[in-house]
Amino acid sequence: MANSQSVDELFAIDSLLDDEERQIRDTVRKFGNERIRPHIADWFEEGTVPARELAKELGSLGLLGMHLEGYGCAGTSATAYGLACLELEAIDSGIRSLVSVQGSLAMFAIWKYGSEEQKQQWLPGMAEGSLIGCFGLTEADYGSNPGGMLTRAKRDGDDWILNGSKMWITNGPVADVAVVWAQTDDKVRGFVVPTDTPGFTANTVKKKLSLRASVTGELVFDDTRLPADAMLPEARGLSGPLSCLNEARFGIIFGAMGAARDCLEAAVEYSQTRNIFDKPLAGYQLTQAKIANMALELGKGELLAIHLGRLKDAGELKPEQVSIGKLNNVREAIDIARECRTILAANGITLEYPALRHANNLESVLTYEGTSEVHQLIVGKALTGIDAFR
Ligand code: TGC
Ligand code: FAD
């Protein structure tokens, strides 16, 4: 429609970004639209993604570990990284997951807690996308409560012997390297595990109804022998892995708004051209109320994301503020995706339109990186001073 505005225009989002941030956003948007969007519905339907090929392309765009400094990483602002996540998730949450897990979880853990040798060995290849990483924290019976993990690393001379398993691990079956968290006699520690180590197996999780364009797996460690220098020296206790989660949750705050934007754009366009009772669906007050309400939540979510990005760039972002963003933006995104599906009606249940694909993906996003209930409890604790987890 000639005079219709986007939500970004309505909220003047560009006025909050600098030239570099706008340029990064536009580059990632173009890449996503040209390279990935034409295939995404098929990949989702087939339950596949060419992770290795895409990792190299994402790496050559500088998107892997992009807000980290050195070791081949781009060293952008956190806000720019968030905007890249938004554009990737506007295509599919699975693609943003690939990038989040690589950059914010596996690479960040090595970058923040690794020895100089570990950083030199792994980070440049991971930044260029020739090596894929995964991050093993969750176990089948310990998701929200990772402190209860059973996976254990025991000393054998100078070596470590790892036993146990990790579940629901993004990129696990395609990874070259796994960052694995395990109990030791000295608290929870992180280990850098090349996936060709004897005693390491990765099994693919099948029959998923969500995040189908993402590889999810189980990691099994059966007397996996690791050298002494496999341990991340600077992480000791649960704060190590939990601090990595802050990084990935931050990307999701932006990313979820990308999925929501994609749904809303598709629904608005559809409503402008779909004639119902002899006039466009967009011309009905009920439809406009839906669209206006969704636009408010999308715009507010983007403003919140950028605000949190600015705090992160100033080194002031607190974990409970990350929880506010993840809780709000994922919850609103899934509501928007479902509401858009109602506008698309029967057409909305197919992969011809993105709304139900995004809604299904957002079911995982609502659960991973801390369920919405976990984030309510984190925010609740911040507001009341009382820990209600146990
Ligand atoms: P609690 O006793 O509160 O804390 C243990 C230690 O950790 C510190 N800490 C944090 N440090 C940094 N950042 C945070 N966000 C932190 N939260 C806590 C805390 O200060 C303490 O340090 P210290 O030095 O005193 O030992 O721990 P708890 O056992 O009570 O658990 C707290 C809880 C429930 C919030 C935490 O376990 C949690 O966040 N659970 C959710 C688990 C989760 O989010 N897993 C995600 C796995 S990765 C994933 O899903 C990837 S999805 C793929 C993708 O991203 O695309
Ligand atoms: P549970 O912890 O069993 O939770 C069950 C229910 O109980 C939830 O509703 C939860 O909110 C609620 N609950 C939990 N605690 C409380 C409480 N104290 N009070 C009230 N209610 C509570 N993990 C990784 O380590 N690496 C990955 O790469 C990774 N990728 C993933 C990819 C996908 C597609 C998915 C679906 C998950 C992935 N995960 C990964 C795992 C994810 O982080 C966990 O699924 C998540 O932390 C929740 O754990 P759970 O599924 O075991 O649920």
Side-chain angles (χ1 to χ4, degrees):
M1 290 282 135
N3 294 321
S4 67
Q5 295 179 51
S6 70
V7 173
D8 278 17
E9 284 167 339
L10 262 182
F11 279 78
I13 295 291
D14 270 20
S15 70
L16 300 172
L17 308 177
D18 66 25
D19 285 346
E20 190 189 346
E21 288 163 347
R22 283 194 291 265
Q23 195 210 324
I24 290 172
R25 177 199 61 190
D26 292 346
T27 305
V28 182
R29 188 179 294 184
K30 187 167 184 290
F31 171 79
N33 281 332
E34 290 178 2
R35 168 67 180 98
I36 308 179
R37 192 179 288 282
H39 308 287
I40 193 66
D42 288 338
W43 294 344
F44 187 95
E45 187 166 41
E46 290 156 16
T48 170
V49 65
R52 203 153 274 286
E53 222 177 292
L54 280 184
K56 288 196 180 127
E57 293 173 48
L58 293 161
S60 66
L61 280 175
L63 300 181
L64 303 178
M66 73 183 268
H67 64 305
L68 306 180
E69 289 284 345
Y71 307 97
C73 302
T76 67
S77 68
T79 306
Y81 168 61
L83 293 166
C85 288
L86 189 152
E87 295 304 330
L88 294 171
E89 196 148 357
I91 305 298
D92 194 89
S93 303
I95 307 301
R96 197 267 309 135
S97 261
L98 172 64
V99 169
S100 290
V101 168
Q102 177 86 352
S104 288
L105 293 179
M107 290 176 73
F108 179 81
I110 296 171
W111 182 85
K112 174 95 177 158
Y113 298 116
S115 64
E116 189 52 36
E117 292 71 28
Q118 288 168 331
K119 293 179 197 183
Q120 299 281 359
Q121 181 180 357
W122 296 106
L123 292 180
M126 294 172 85
E128 70 181 24
S130 54
L131 296 174
I132 295 182
C134 68
F135 182 90
L137 177 62
T138 304
E139 299 183 1
D141 292 328
Y142 297 94
S144 300
N145 176 22
M149 69 177 72
L150 301 176
T151 297
R152 192 160 187 94
K154 279 195 177 157
R155 282 279 193 193
D156 182 39
D158 283 346
D159 291 349
W160 290 98
I161 308 288
L162 196 55
N163 277 292
S165 63
K166 297 286 172 183
M167 189 57 183
W168 306 112
I169 307 306
T170 301
N171 296 348
V174 292
D176 301 284
V177 58
V179 171
V180 179
W181 300 93
Q183 304 281 4
T184 73
D185 289 341
D186 180 26
K187 299 198 165 181
V188 167
R189 307 297 298 244
F191 295 86
V192 183
V193 184
T195 56
D196 59 3
T197 308
F200 175 98
T201 322
N203 305 309
T204 302
V205 174
K206 300 225 162 68
K207 301 191 175 171
K208 287 183 298 173
L209 296 171
S210 172
L211 264 274
R212 289 181 55 76
S214 170
V215 189
T216 313
E218 175 197 34
L219 312 182
V220 182
F221 315 101
D222 181 10
D223 283 336
T224 310
R225 180 175 290 274
L226 301 167
D229 62 7
M231 191 181 74
L232 294 171
E234 306 300 333
R236 185 164 166 270
L238 205 56
S239 60
L242 293 184
S243 71
C244 301
L245 302 186
N246 297 333
E247 299 297 308
R249 290 169 179 172
F250 172 79
I252 292 173
I253 296 169
F254 282 82
M257 291 297 97
R261 186 191 74 198
D262 195 47
C263 295
L264 187 54
E265 283 179 359
V268 168
E269 192 185 329
Y270 184 84
S271 71
Q272 289 166 331
T273 52
R274 174 81 174 171
N275 276 337
I276 317 262
F277 293 105
D278 305 323
K279 70 171 189 183
L281 177 57
Y284 289 91
Q285 292 181 353
L286 280 175
T287 312
Q288 291 202 4
K290 286 182 186 179
I291 289 171
N293 287 341
M294 290 190 284
L296 292 190
E297 294 311 327
L298 172 56
K300 287 190 286 182
E302 287 190 12
L303 293 179
L304 175 60
I306 293 168
H307 172 57
L308 297 177
R310 298 296 177 221
L311 287 178
K312 185 162 169 56
D313 282 321
E316 290 170 6
L317 186 61
K318 297 181 191 147
E320 57 269 31
Q321 294 170 326
V322 174
S323 289
I324 288 172
K326 203 261 178 184
L327 174 60
N328 183 76
N329 285 10
V330 180
R331 191 161 69 181
E332 294 306 328
I334 200 166
D335 280 356
I336 289 172
R338 289 173 181 154
E339 187 84 310
C340 287
R341 212 287 306 154
T342 69
I343 292 176
L344 296 159
N347 280 310
I349 74 156
T350 72
L351 282 168
E352 295 299 315
Y353 293 87
L356 192 55
R357 173 171 54 81
H358 282 303
N360 275 11
N361 285 338
L362 288 164
E363 293 289 346
S364 287
V365 182
L366 200 64
T367 285
Y368 68 28
E369 289 295 350
T371 63
S372 43
E373 292 80 6
V374 161
H375 290 295
Q376 283 173 318
L377 291 169
I378 293 171
V379 175
K381 181 179 168 187
L383 291 169
T384 64
I386 298 173
D387 183 334
F389 286 102
R390 293 176 173 82

